[in-house]
Amino acid sequence: MTGWFSFLHGEATAGDVLALRRVEAVLRGAGLAYDVVWSPGFRSDGHHFADVDPAAYSRLVFVCGPVHGPQVEELHRRFAHCVRVAVGVSVVDPGSPAVTGFHRVLARDAAGTGPTLDLAARAPALPARPVVGVVLTHGQHEYGGQRRHEEVAAELTRWLAAKDCARLELETRLDAHDWRLCGTPAQLESVLARLDLVVTDRLHGMVLALRAGVPALAVDPVAGGAKVSAQARACGWPALVAAERLEEGLLEHWWHWCLACGGRDEAARIGAGFRAVDAAGDAADGLVAALGAGPAG
């Protein structure tokens, strides 16, 4: 089985891979064996065209996406002896060699025919994965030689790339003119409240997550600890990793704690405490008295 997810310079979209899962389920139900060809850029450990012997197969199935272009035409030449079927595809030019090379085309949409449901819609149900907001900073040059921001960001993103979760890059900076950024705190809070976890090296990444009742795996990017560590203490939040201790084992420990009941319950408790009548004091509590005081002597 092939698709645009098979080509070296193609792309694997979530819809294409779900369409593949639907076809796999049909073939398994019929007791038919198959192999899937993947782009080495997407799955290095899978079957690749460079390793496939066409003579070992009698059927070729092309799944999803538009049927056009030289890459699809090359399939017809290389697998000329096979029965070739395209399923769940879009037919843009029915006279194209990429289309006419198939023995059968089971289209999802084509000129002169009614559309059929996309294959991804009926793909097998998938287990839920944690939704993780990632809030990182590369600035804060005021810390000079104590800065470990680049190292922290590189290690966190490397580690996160291997986690089976949905990652959502977020920015605390507001911008009323950039559609990619939130324009108000309320917009950002609405996003945070829907997450399972926030991974951050920013003070406000941690505080805003806890304010929304969402656990935060916080890393202080300043050697020796600075405002992130201080704020974690002020909040009573334990899931903090120092830049000097940015080890995978420690990250894994707090990852599991944050996603378990203990971390979720503690974040909810702290968030509720922020809003309580008897909430812990902050600097604003002394502002009025400070405004009434005379100039500093």
Side-chain angles (χ1 to χ4, degrees):
M1 286 203 291
T2 72
W4 286 98
F5 49 80
S6 306
F7 299 134
L8 180 61
H9 300 297
E11 63 179 14
T13 70
D16 288 350
V17 175
L18 283 172
L20 171 65
R21 298 295 178 238
R22 165 66 177 148
V23 175
E24 286 184 300
V26 169
L27 296 183
R28 285 196 302 270
L32 298 175
Y34 61 88
D35 289 323
V36 178
V37 179
W38 295 100
S39 167
F42 182 62
R43 291 206 176 158
S44 60
D45 58 345
H47 290 282
H48 308 140
F49 275 129
D51 308 319
V52 167
D53 178 9
Y57 300 92
S58 62
R59 303 287 191 274
L60 180 140
V61 178
F62 186 90
V63 181
C64 199
V67 183
H68 77 100
Q71 291 166 299
V72 179
E73 294 173 24
E74 175 60 24
L75 289 179
H76 298 311
R77 290 188 288 270
R78 189 174 180 195
F79 293 85
H81 66 288
C82 290
V83 173
R84 299 179 300 283
V85 178
V87 57
V89 295
S90 293
V91 177
V92 180
D93 178 6
S96 163
V99 177
T100 59
F102 286 105
H103 295 88
R104 290 286 306 277
V105 176
L106 307 175
R108 66 182 173 193
D109 53 86
T113 64
T116 62
L117 195 64
D118 182 74
L119 295 172
R122 294 182 60 201
L126 301 174
R129 294 292 184 259
V131 181
V132 179
V134 183
V135 186
L136 302 177
T137 178
H138 299 278
Q140 301 180 347
H141 294 277
E142 63 269 24
Y143 289 104
Q146 294 176 286
R147 293 184 72 258
R148 301 293 184 270
H149 294 61
E150 283 71 23
E151 298 95 316
V152 165
E155 179 60 22
L156 278 177
T157 52
R158 181 203 63 78
W159 173 70
L160 282 168
K163 303 299 292 182
D164 188 8
C165 65
R167 293 166 290 275
L168 182 62
E169 185 177 16
L170 297 174
E171 174 61 71
T172 58
R173 180 172 62 87
L174 303 178
D175 192 320
H177 307 290
D178 188 337
W179 67 270
R180 294 166 295 185
L181 299 176
C182 293
T184 67
Q187 293 172 10
L188 180 59
E189 285 196 342
S190 295
V191 176
L192 293 172
R194 288 163 170 79
L195 301 177
D196 296 305
L197 172 65
V198 170
V199 175
T200 185
D201 65 356
R202 304 199 69 152
L203 180 155
H204 282 128
M206 177 181 64
V207 171
L208 297 183
L210 295 177
R211 177 181 160 91
V214 174
L217 198 173
V219 178
D220 194 323
V222 179
K227 59 185 179 182
V228 175
S229 297
Q231 193 58 212
R233 291 194 301 272
C235 294
W237 181 245
L240 174 72
V241 179
E244 301 90 334
R245 296 196 61 200
L246 194 58
E247 306 155 1
E248 188 164 319
L250 198 53
L251 291 173
E252 289 289 336
H253 168 77
W254 287 120
W255 171 275
H256 292 294
W257 182 82
C258 285
L259 290 174
C261 292
R264 295 198 304 269
D265 291 347
E266 184 66 5
R269 185 191 68 78
I270 291 174
F274 289 166
R275 300 182 293 275
V277 175
D278 58 346
D282 62 18
D285 291 329
L287 178 58
V288 173
L291 289 173

